Amino acid sequence: MLPPTVIRSCPSADNDFQPLSEYQAQTPDTFFDGKPVLYFHDENVKAWVSAEQHESLFIFSKDAEDNDATVNPSPPESYALGNNGGRHLREEKVEAFVASNKLILFSHKTGTGIEIPYPAITLHAIKNFSHVEKPEDASSRFIGVYMQIEFTSSGGDDDESFDPIELTLIPYKAEQSSTENPVIDPLNSERASALFNQISACSNLHPDPHEEEDEEEDEDNFDRIVFEGSAEGEVVDGLPGVIRGDLNGGLPPPVAGSSGWITADNVNEFFDADGNWIGGESPSGELGDGAGRVRGRDEVEQDGPNGQENGDDVDSKRPRTE
């Protein structure tokens, strides 16, 4: 996995990115240069992470004391958390940028931001919250974007040592009419859903490099029917005309009486641009009975409809239409 990048200045949504609407409205001159595309931007997002992991993201404030309430989740969202309002978590208010190249979170309080490569986000999902004491209260419900982040390259290989950073992002209402009774942002669901959808879209632009390696390995494997056995060129029992192919991917040997295989690589040696045969002499070897002879109509009709021999079940065959 790619490591994160710590930044000390907040990006500008207007100057450092190309708006998604503008990007979609025109054909770019190049796909390799230019500003990253800004898929989503939100200035007011609460970031929650466990007390044991908050230092790994660099953006969280350093708590002077373990019981410093200013670093814990704040109301009204904290009412949805157990353990005395989420005392086991740390909160930082950040500005979120979902760009085409990275997910950027910046804390104006600490003056520090972090750029997270999308392959480092191993899982992201919508998480539902409700008031601990009033779970039926619809006005207290809200959603957030839950993510698991892995910055090391060996976490997924060893399940016992795999300990991803669990981060939850929650859009909140910055301007409250009452500081004593803050309320959940009525647009929380819309904002959080947009945040999740655009993280998904940008993650698809950056597939996991391990998955690409697996796909390359799969391409090296056989993508055709391979019959068990090592004798190439043998006829497969019970399948007339089926011959074992080359285990290295080549064609089976030519059948007896032919001059070899005509492929895309050598077709110009047998046909001209108009489709006329220029292969020279007729195929080598002895041909089977009837090869090269045109059967007359009387001979065909003598065999019965559709080339079948006349017999007791001739009535069960559909007649050929002229």
Short mmCIF file of all heavy atoms in Angstrom, two decimals, residues 99-158:
data_model
loop_
_atom_site.label_atom_id
_atom_site.label_comp_id
_atom_site.label_asym_id
_atom_site.label_seq_id
_atom_site.Cartn_x
_atom_site.Cartn_y
_atom_site.Cartn_z
N ALA A 99 -10.90 13.94 -4.07
CA ALA A 99 -10.32 14.26 -5.37
C ALA A 99 -10.05 12.98 -6.15
O ALA A 99 -10.05 11.88 -5.59
CB ALA A 99 -9.03 15.06 -5.20
N SER A 100 -9.80 13.13 -7.44
CA SER A 100 -9.59 11.96 -8.29
C SER A 100 -8.31 11.23 -7.95
O SER A 100 -8.18 10.04 -8.23
CB SER A 100 -9.55 12.39 -9.76
OG SER A 100 -8.54 13.37 -9.97
N ASN A 101 -7.35 11.92 -7.32
CA ASN A 101 -6.08 11.27 -7.00
C ASN A 101 -6.00 10.76 -5.57
O ASN A 101 -5.46 9.67 -5.32
CB ASN A 101 -4.91 12.22 -7.28
CG ASN A 101 -5.02 13.52 -6.51
OD1 ASN A 101 -6.10 13.88 -6.00
ND2 ASN A 101 -3.93 14.25 -6.40
N LYS A 102 -6.57 11.50 -4.61
CA LYS A 102 -6.48 11.11 -3.21
C LYS A 102 -7.66 11.66 -2.42
O LYS A 102 -8.32 12.62 -2.85
CB LYS A 102 -5.17 11.63 -2.58
CG LYS A 102 -3.90 11.00 -3.14
CD LYS A 102 -2.65 11.60 -2.50
CE LYS A 102 -1.39 10.98 -3.08
NZ LYS A 102 -0.15 11.57 -2.49
N LEU A 103 -7.91 11.06 -1.25
CA LEU A 103 -8.85 11.59 -0.28
C LEU A 103 -8.06 12.47 0.67
O LEU A 103 -7.08 12.02 1.28
CB LEU A 103 -9.55 10.46 0.48
CG LEU A 103 -10.39 10.88 1.68
CD1 LEU A 103 -11.57 11.74 1.25
CD2 LEU A 103 -10.87 9.66 2.46
N ILE A 104 -8.47 13.74 0.81
CA ILE A 104 -7.73 14.70 1.62
C ILE A 104 -8.60 15.16 2.78
O ILE A 104 -9.75 15.57 2.58
CB ILE A 104 -7.29 15.92 0.78
CG1 ILE A 104 -6.48 15.46 -0.43
CG2 ILE A 104 -6.49 16.89 1.63
CD1 ILE A 104 -6.16 16.59 -1.41
N LEU A 105 -8.05 15.07 3.98
CA LEU A 105 -8.71 15.56 5.19
C LEU A 105 -7.78 16.59 5.83
O LEU A 105 -6.60 16.31 6.06
CB LEU A 105 -8.98 14.42 6.17
CG LEU A 105 -9.80 13.22 5.64
CD1 LEU A 105 -9.88 12.13 6.68
CD2 LEU A 105 -11.19 13.67 5.20
N PHE A 106 -8.32 17.78 6.11
CA PHE A 106 -7.48 18.83 6.68
C PHE A 106 -8.14 19.40 7.93
O PHE A 106 -9.32 19.78 7.91
CB PHE A 106 -7.23 19.95 5.68
CG PHE A 106 -6.16 20.92 6.11
CD1 PHE A 106 -4.83 20.68 5.82
CD2 PHE A 106 -6.49 22.06 6.85
CE1 PHE A 106 -3.84 21.57 6.24
CE2 PHE A 106 -5.51 22.94 7.27
CZ PHE A 106 -4.17 22.70 6.96
N SER A 107 -7.36 19.47 9.02
CA SER A 107 -7.82 20.04 10.27
C SER A 107 -7.28 21.46 10.39
O SER A 107 -6.07 21.66 10.47
CB SER A 107 -7.35 19.20 11.46
OG SER A 107 -7.58 19.90 12.68
N HIS A 108 -8.18 22.43 10.43
CA HIS A 108 -7.75 23.82 10.60
C HIS A 108 -7.31 24.08 12.03
O HIS A 108 -6.54 25.02 12.29
CB HIS A 108 -8.87 24.77 10.19
CG HIS A 108 -9.20 24.71 8.73
ND1 HIS A 108 -8.49 25.41 7.78
CD2 HIS A 108 -10.16 24.02 8.05
CE1 HIS A 108 -9.00 25.17 6.57
NE2 HIS A 108 -10.02 24.34 6.72
N LYS A 109 -7.78 23.27 12.95
CA LYS A 109 -7.39 23.43 14.36
C LYS A 109 -5.92 23.08 14.56
O LYS A 109 -5.19 23.80 15.25
CB LYS A 109 -8.28 22.56 15.24
CG LYS A 109 -7.94 22.64 16.72
CD LYS A 109 -8.86 21.75 17.53
CE LYS A 109 -8.51 21.78 19.01
NZ LYS A 109 -9.40 20.88 19.81
N THR A 110 -5.48 21.99 13.97
CA THR A 110 -4.09 21.56 14.12
C THR A 110 -3.20 22.07 13.00
O THR A 110 -1.97 21.99 13.10
CB THR A 110 -4.01 20.03 14.16
OG1 THR A 110 -4.46 19.49 12.90
CG2 THR A 110 -4.87 19.45 15.27
N GLY A 111 -3.80 22.62 11.95
CA GLY A 111 -3.01 23.09 10.82
C GLY A 111 -2.33 21.96 10.07
O GLY A 111 -1.29 22.15 9.44
N THR A 112 -2.93 20.78 10.13
CA THR A 112 -2.33 19.59 9.52
C THR A 112 -3.39 18.85 8.71
O THR A 112 -4.56 18.76 9.10
CB THR A 112 -1.76 18.64 10.60
OG1 THR A 112 -0.85 19.37 11.41
CG2 THR A 112 -1.05 17.47 9.96
N GLY A 113 -2.97 18.33 7.58
CA GLY A 113 -3.86 17.52 6.76
C GLY A 113 -3.18 16.23 6.36
O GLY A 113 -1.97 16.04 6.56
N ILE A 114 -3.97 15.33 5.80
CA ILE A 114 -3.44 14.05 5.36
C ILE A 114 -4.06 13.68 4.03
O ILE A 114 -5.26 13.86 3.81
CB ILE A 114 -3.71 12.94 6.42
CG1 ILE A 114 -3.05 11.63 6.01
CG2 ILE A 114 -5.19 12.76 6.66
CD1 ILE A 114 -3.12 10.55 7.08
N GLU A 115 -3.21 13.23 3.12
CA GLU A 115 -3.66 12.74 1.81
C GLU A 115 -3.62 11.21 1.85
O GLU A 115 -2.56 10.62 2.03
CB GLU A 115 -2.76 13.28 0.70
CG GLU A 115 -2.79 14.79 0.57
CD GLU A 115 -1.87 15.29 -0.53
OE1 GLU A 115 -0.98 14.51 -0.94
OE2 GLU A 115 -2.03 16.44 -0.97
N ILE A 116 -4.78 10.60 1.67
CA ILE A 116 -4.90 9.14 1.78
C ILE A 116 -5.05 8.54 0.39
O ILE A 116 -6.02 8.85 -0.33
CB ILE A 116 -6.12 8.76 2.65
CG1 ILE A 116 -6.00 9.40 4.04
CG2 ILE A 116 -6.24 7.24 2.77
CD1 ILE A 116 -7.22 9.17 4.92
N PRO A 117 -4.13 7.70 -0.05
CA PRO A 117 -4.29 7.03 -1.35
C PRO A 117 -5.49 6.09 -1.30
O PRO A 117 -5.72 5.42 -0.29
CB PRO A 117 -2.97 6.27 -1.52
CG PRO A 117 -2.02 6.86 -0.52
CD PRO A 117 -2.86 7.35 0.61
N TYR A 118 -6.24 6.03 -2.38
CA TYR A 118 -7.45 5.21 -2.39
C TYR A 118 -7.17 3.71 -2.20
O TYR A 118 -7.97 3.02 -1.55
CB TYR A 118 -8.25 5.47 -3.66
CG TYR A 118 -8.92 6.81 -3.64
CD1 TYR A 118 -8.44 7.86 -4.43
CD2 TYR A 118 -10.02 7.06 -2.82
CE1 TYR A 118 -9.04 9.11 -4.41
CE2 TYR A 118 -10.62 8.31 -2.79
CZ TYR A 118 -10.13 9.33 -3.58
OH TYR A 118 -10.72 10.58 -3.54
N PRO A 119 -6.07 3.15 -2.73
CA PRO A 119 -5.81 1.74 -2.45
C PRO A 119 -5.62 1.43 -0.97
O PRO A 119 -5.76 0.28 -0.55
CB PRO A 119 -4.53 1.45 -3.25
CG PRO A 119 -4.55 2.45 -4.36
CD PRO A 119 -5.13 3.68 -3.76
N ALA A 120 -5.31 2.47 -0.16
CA ALA A 120 -5.14 2.25 1.27
C ALA A 120 -6.49 2.09 1.98
O ALA A 120 -6.55 1.60 3.11
CB ALA A 120 -4.36 3.40 1.90
N ILE A 121 -7.57 2.52 1.32
CA ILE A 121 -8.92 2.36 1.89
C ILE A 121 -9.41 0.97 1.51
O ILE A 121 -9.91 0.74 0.41
CB ILE A 121 -9.87 3.45 1.37
CG1 ILE A 121 -9.29 4.84 1.66
CG2 ILE A 121 -11.25 3.30 2.01
CD1 ILE A 121 -10.11 5.98 1.07
N THR A 122 -9.23 0.04 2.42
CA THR A 122 -9.57 -1.35 2.11
C THR A 122 -11.05 -1.65 2.23
O THR A 122 -11.53 -2.65 1.70
CB THR A 122 -8.79 -2.29 3.03
OG1 THR A 122 -9.10 -1.99 4.40
CG2 THR A 122 -7.28 -2.12 2.84
N LEU A 123 -11.78 -0.78 2.93
CA LEU A 123 -13.23 -0.98 3.07
C LEU A 123 -13.87 0.35 3.38
O LEU A 123 -13.32 1.16 4.14
CB LEU A 123 -13.52 -1.99 4.19
CG LEU A 123 -14.98 -2.39 4.45
CD1 LEU A 123 -15.04 -3.83 4.97
CD2 LEU A 123 -15.64 -1.47 5.49
N HIS A 124 -15.03 0.61 2.80
CA HIS A 124 -15.81 1.79 3.17
C HIS A 124 -17.29 1.44 3.04
O HIS A 124 -17.69 0.68 2.15
CB HIS A 124 -15.44 3.01 2.33
CG HIS A 124 -15.71 2.87 0.87
ND1 HIS A 124 -14.97 2.08 0.02
CD2 HIS A 124 -16.68 3.44 0.09
CE1 HIS A 124 -15.45 2.16 -1.20
NE2 HIS A 124 -16.48 2.97 -1.18
N ALA A 125 -18.09 1.99 3.94
CA ALA A 125 -19.51 1.64 3.99
C ALA A 125 -20.28 2.76 4.69
O ALA A 125 -19.70 3.62 5.37
CB ALA A 125 -19.71 0.31 4.71
N ILE A 126 -21.59 2.73 4.52
CA ILE A 126 -22.48 3.65 5.23
C ILE A 126 -22.77 3.05 6.61
O ILE A 126 -23.10 1.87 6.73
CB ILE A 126 -23.80 3.85 4.46
CG1 ILE A 126 -23.55 4.67 3.17
CG2 ILE A 126 -24.84 4.53 5.33
CD1 ILE A 126 -23.24 6.12 3.43
N LYS A 127 -22.65 3.88 7.64
CA LYS A 127 -22.93 3.44 9.02
C LYS A 127 -24.07 4.28 9.59
O LYS A 127 -24.05 5.52 9.52
CB LYS A 127 -21.68 3.57 9.89
CG LYS A 127 -21.85 2.97 11.28
CD LYS A 127 -20.53 2.96 12.04
CE LYS A 127 -20.67 2.30 13.39
NZ LYS A 127 -19.37 2.24 14.13
N ASN A 128 -25.07 3.61 10.14
CA ASN A 128 -26.24 4.27 10.71
C ASN A 128 -26.08 4.48 12.21
O ASN A 128 -25.58 3.60 12.92
CB ASN A 128 -27.50 3.45 10.44
CG ASN A 128 -27.80 3.34 8.95
OD1 ASN A 128 -28.31 4.28 8.34
ND2 ASN A 128 -27.51 2.19 8.36
N PHE A 129 -26.52 5.63 12.67
CA PHE A 129 -26.47 5.96 14.10
C PHE A 129 -27.84 6.40 14.57
O PHE A 129 -28.63 6.99 13.81
CB PHE A 129 -25.47 7.10 14.36
CG PHE A 129 -24.03 6.75 14.06
CD1 PHE A 129 -23.51 6.95 12.79
CD2 PHE A 129 -23.21 6.23 15.04
CE1 PHE A 129 -22.19 6.65 12.50
CE2 PHE A 129 -21.89 5.92 14.77
CZ PHE A 129 -21.37 6.13 13.51
N SER A 130 -28.11 6.14 15.85
CA SER A 130 -29.34 6.63 16.49
C SER A 130 -29.04 6.92 17.96
O SER A 130 -28.08 6.40 18.53
CB SER A 130 -30.48 5.61 16.36
OG SER A 130 -30.12 4.39 16.99
N HIS A 131 -29.86 7.75 18.56
CA HIS A 131 -29.68 8.15 19.96
C HIS A 131 -29.70 6.92 20.86
O HIS A 131 -30.57 6.06 20.73
CB HIS A 131 -30.78 9.13 20.35
CG HIS A 131 -30.48 9.94 21.56
ND1 HIS A 131 -30.37 9.40 22.82
CD2 HIS A 131 -30.24 11.28 21.70
CE1 HIS A 131 -30.11 10.36 23.70
NE2 HIS A 131 -30.02 11.51 23.04
N VAL A 132 -28.74 6.83 21.75
CA VAL A 132 -28.64 5.66 22.62
C VAL A 132 -29.88 5.53 23.49
O VAL A 132 -30.43 4.43 23.66
CB VAL A 132 -27.37 5.74 23.50
CG1 VAL A 132 -27.37 4.62 24.53
CG2 VAL A 132 -26.12 5.65 22.64
N GLU A 133 -30.35 6.63 24.04
CA GLU A 133 -31.49 6.60 24.95
C GLU A 133 -32.81 6.73 24.22
O GLU A 133 -33.86 6.35 24.76
CB GLU A 133 -31.35 7.71 25.99
CG GLU A 133 -30.11 7.57 26.87
CD GLU A 133 -29.99 8.70 27.86
OE1 GLU A 133 -30.85 9.62 27.81
OE2 GLU A 133 -29.05 8.69 28.68
N LYS A 134 -32.81 7.29 23.00
CA LYS A 134 -34.06 7.47 22.24
C LYS A 134 -33.87 6.94 20.81
O LYS A 134 -33.85 7.72 19.85
CB LYS A 134 -34.44 8.95 22.23
CG LYS A 134 -34.70 9.54 23.60
CD LYS A 134 -35.05 11.01 23.52
CE LYS A 134 -33.86 11.84 23.08
NZ LYS A 134 -34.17 13.30 23.08
N PRO A 135 -33.70 5.63 20.68
CA PRO A 135 -33.43 5.07 19.35
C PRO A 135 -34.56 5.27 18.35
O PRO A 135 -34.33 5.21 17.14
CB PRO A 135 -33.21 3.58 19.65
CG PRO A 135 -33.91 3.33 20.94
CD PRO A 135 -33.78 4.60 21.73
N GLU A 136 -35.80 5.50 18.84
CA GLU A 136 -36.93 5.68 17.93
C GLU A 136 -37.08 7.12 17.47
O GLU A 136 -37.91 7.41 16.60
CB GLU A 136 -38.22 5.23 18.63
CG GLU A 136 -38.19 3.78 19.11
CD GLU A 136 -37.96 2.81 17.97
OE1 GLU A 136 -38.44 3.10 16.84
OE2 GLU A 136 -37.32 1.77 18.20
N ASP A 137 -36.28 8.03 18.02
CA ASP A 137 -36.37 9.44 17.66
C ASP A 137 -35.71 9.66 16.30
O ASP A 137 -34.48 9.61 16.17
CB ASP A 137 -35.69 10.29 18.74
CG ASP A 137 -35.82 11.77 18.46
OD1 ASP A 137 -36.52 12.14 17.49
OD2 ASP A 137 -35.21 12.56 19.20
N ALA A 138 -36.52 9.89 15.28
CA ALA A 138 -36.00 10.03 13.92
C ALA A 138 -35.11 11.26 13.78
O ALA A 138 -34.17 11.26 12.98
CB ALA A 138 -37.16 10.11 12.93
N SER A 139 -35.38 12.32 14.55
CA SER A 139 -34.60 13.54 14.44
C SER A 139 -33.18 13.37 14.96
O SER A 139 -32.31 14.21 14.70
CB SER A 139 -35.29 14.69 15.19
OG SER A 139 -35.37 14.40 16.58
N SER A 140 -32.94 12.30 15.72
CA SER A 140 -31.61 12.05 16.28
C SER A 140 -30.80 11.05 15.46
O SER A 140 -29.67 10.75 15.82
CB SER A 140 -31.74 11.54 17.73
OG SER A 140 -32.38 12.50 18.55
N ARG A 141 -31.38 10.56 14.39
CA ARG A 141 -30.68 9.60 13.56
C ARG A 141 -29.81 10.31 12.52
O ARG A 141 -30.16 11.38 12.03
CB ARG A 141 -31.67 8.67 12.84
CG ARG A 141 -32.50 7.82 13.79
CD ARG A 141 -33.55 7.03 13.02
NE ARG A 141 -34.41 6.27 13.91
CZ ARG A 141 -35.51 5.63 13.53
NH1 ARG A 141 -35.87 5.67 12.24
NH2 ARG A 141 -36.24 4.97 14.40
N PHE A 142 -28.70 9.71 12.21
CA PHE A 142 -27.81 10.25 11.20
C PHE A 142 -26.94 9.12 10.66
O PHE A 142 -26.94 8.00 11.20
CB PHE A 142 -26.95 11.39 11.78
CG PHE A 142 -26.04 10.96 12.90
CD1 PHE A 142 -24.72 10.61 12.66
CD2 PHE A 142 -26.50 10.92 14.21
CE1 PHE A 142 -23.88 10.22 13.70
CE2 PHE A 142 -25.67 10.54 15.26
CZ PHE A 142 -24.35 10.19 14.99
N ILE A 143 -26.21 9.40 9.60
CA ILE A 143 -25.34 8.39 9.02
C ILE A 143 -23.94 8.97 8.85
O ILE A 143 -23.74 10.19 8.81
CB ILE A 143 -25.87 7.87 7.66
CG1 ILE A 143 -25.91 9.00 6.63
CG2 ILE A 143 -27.22 7.22 7.82
CD1 ILE A 143 -26.32 8.53 5.24
N GLY A 144 -22.98 8.07 8.74
CA GLY A 144 -21.59 8.46 8.50
C GLY A 144 -20.95 7.48 7.54
O GLY A 144 -21.53 6.44 7.20
N VAL A 145 -19.77 7.81 7.09
CA VAL A 145 -19.01 6.94 6.19
C VAL A 145 -17.92 6.26 7.01
O VAL A 145 -17.01 6.93 7.51
CB VAL A 145 -18.39 7.72 5.02
CG1 VAL A 145 -17.59 6.79 4.12
CG2 VAL A 145 -19.49 8.42 4.23
N TYR A 146 -18.06 4.96 7.17
CA TYR A 146 -17.09 4.15 7.93
C TYR A 146 -16.04 3.61 6.96
O TYR A 146 -16.37 3.12 5.88
CB TYR A 146 -17.81 3.01 8.63
CG TYR A 146 -16.89 1.97 9.22
CD1 TYR A 146 -16.28 2.16 10.46
CD2 TYR A 146 -16.62 0.78 8.54
CE1 TYR A 146 -15.43 1.21 11.00
CE2 TYR A 146 -15.77 -0.17 9.07
CZ TYR A 146 -15.18 0.05 10.30
OH TYR A 146 -14.34 -0.91 10.83
N MET A 147 -14.77 3.70 7.37
CA MET A 147 -13.69 3.23 6.52
C MET A 147 -12.67 2.45 7.33
O MET A 147 -12.46 2.72 8.52
CB MET A 147 -12.98 4.42 5.83
CG MET A 147 -13.82 5.16 4.83
SD MET A 147 -12.87 6.46 3.99
CE MET A 147 -12.66 7.62 5.34
N GLN A 148 -12.06 1.49 6.69
CA GLN A 148 -10.89 0.80 7.22
C GLN A 148 -9.71 1.17 6.32
O GLN A 148 -9.79 1.02 5.10
CB GLN A 148 -11.08 -0.71 7.26
CG GLN A 148 -12.08 -1.17 8.31
CD GLN A 148 -12.15 -2.68 8.43
OE1 GLN A 148 -11.46 -3.41 7.71
NE2 GLN A 148 -12.99 -3.16 9.33
N ILE A 149 -8.64 1.65 6.95
CA ILE A 149 -7.48 2.15 6.21
C ILE A 149 -6.26 1.36 6.62
O ILE A 149 -6.02 1.12 7.81
CB ILE A 149 -7.27 3.65 6.49
CG1 ILE A 149 -8.53 4.44 6.11
CG2 ILE A 149 -6.07 4.18 5.72
CD1 ILE A 149 -8.47 5.89 6.50
N GLU A 150 -5.48 0.94 5.64
CA GLU A 150 -4.26 0.16 5.88
C GLU A 150 -3.12 0.79 5.10
O GLU A 150 -3.14 0.83 3.87
CB GLU A 150 -4.48 -1.30 5.45
CG GLU A 150 -3.26 -2.17 5.60
CD GLU A 150 -2.77 -2.25 7.04
OE1 GLU A 150 -3.60 -2.41 7.95
OE2 GLU A 150 -1.56 -2.13 7.23
N PHE A 151 -2.13 1.30 5.84
CA PHE A 151 -1.00 1.96 5.20
C PHE A 151 0.20 1.04 5.00
O PHE A 151 1.12 1.39 4.28
CB PHE A 151 -0.56 3.17 6.02
CG PHE A 151 -1.55 4.29 6.03
CD1 PHE A 151 -1.92 4.91 7.21
CD2 PHE A 151 -2.12 4.74 4.85
CE1 PHE A 151 -2.83 5.95 7.21
CE2 PHE A 151 -3.04 5.78 4.83
CZ PHE A 151 -3.40 6.39 6.02
N THR A 152 0.22 -0.12 5.64
CA THR A 152 1.33 -1.04 5.46
C THR A 152 1.02 -2.01 4.34
O THR A 152 -0.13 -2.17 3.93
CB THR A 152 1.61 -1.82 6.75
OG1 THR A 152 0.47 -2.63 7.08
CG2 THR A 152 1.90 -0.88 7.91
N SER A 153 2.04 -2.71 3.86
CA SER A 153 1.88 -3.62 2.73
C SER A 153 1.68 -5.06 3.16
O SER A 153 1.43 -5.92 2.34
CB SER A 153 3.11 -3.55 1.83
OG SER A 153 4.27 -3.89 2.56
N SER A 154 1.79 -5.34 4.46
CA SER A 154 1.73 -6.73 4.90
C SER A 154 0.50 -7.04 5.73
O SER A 154 0.32 -8.16 6.17
CB SER A 154 2.98 -7.07 5.73
OG SER A 154 3.06 -6.22 6.87
N GLY A 155 -0.37 -6.02 5.94
CA GLY A 155 -1.49 -6.25 6.83
C GLY A 155 -2.44 -7.31 6.34
O GLY A 155 -2.92 -8.13 7.10
N GLY A 156 -2.72 -7.33 5.04
CA GLY A 156 -3.68 -8.29 4.52
C GLY A 156 -3.16 -9.70 4.43
O GLY A 156 -3.90 -10.64 4.23
N ASP A 157 -1.82 -9.89 4.55
CA ASP A 157 -1.25 -11.22 4.41
C ASP A 157 -1.29 -12.00 5.71
O ASP A 157 -1.18 -13.22 5.71
CB ASP A 157 0.20 -11.12 3.93
CG ASP A 157 0.28 -10.45 2.55
OD1 ASP A 157 -0.72 -10.56 1.81
OD2 ASP A 157 1.32 -9.84 2.26
N ASP A 158 -1.41 -11.31 6.82
CA ASP A 158 -1.40 -11.97 8.11
C ASP A 158 -2.61 -11.49 8.88
O ASP A 158 -2.65 -10.37 9.39
CB ASP A 158 -0.11 -11.64 8.86
CG ASP A 158 0.03 -12.43 10.16
OD1 ASP A 158 -0.94 -13.15 10.50
OD2 ASP A 158 1.08 -12.33 10.82
#
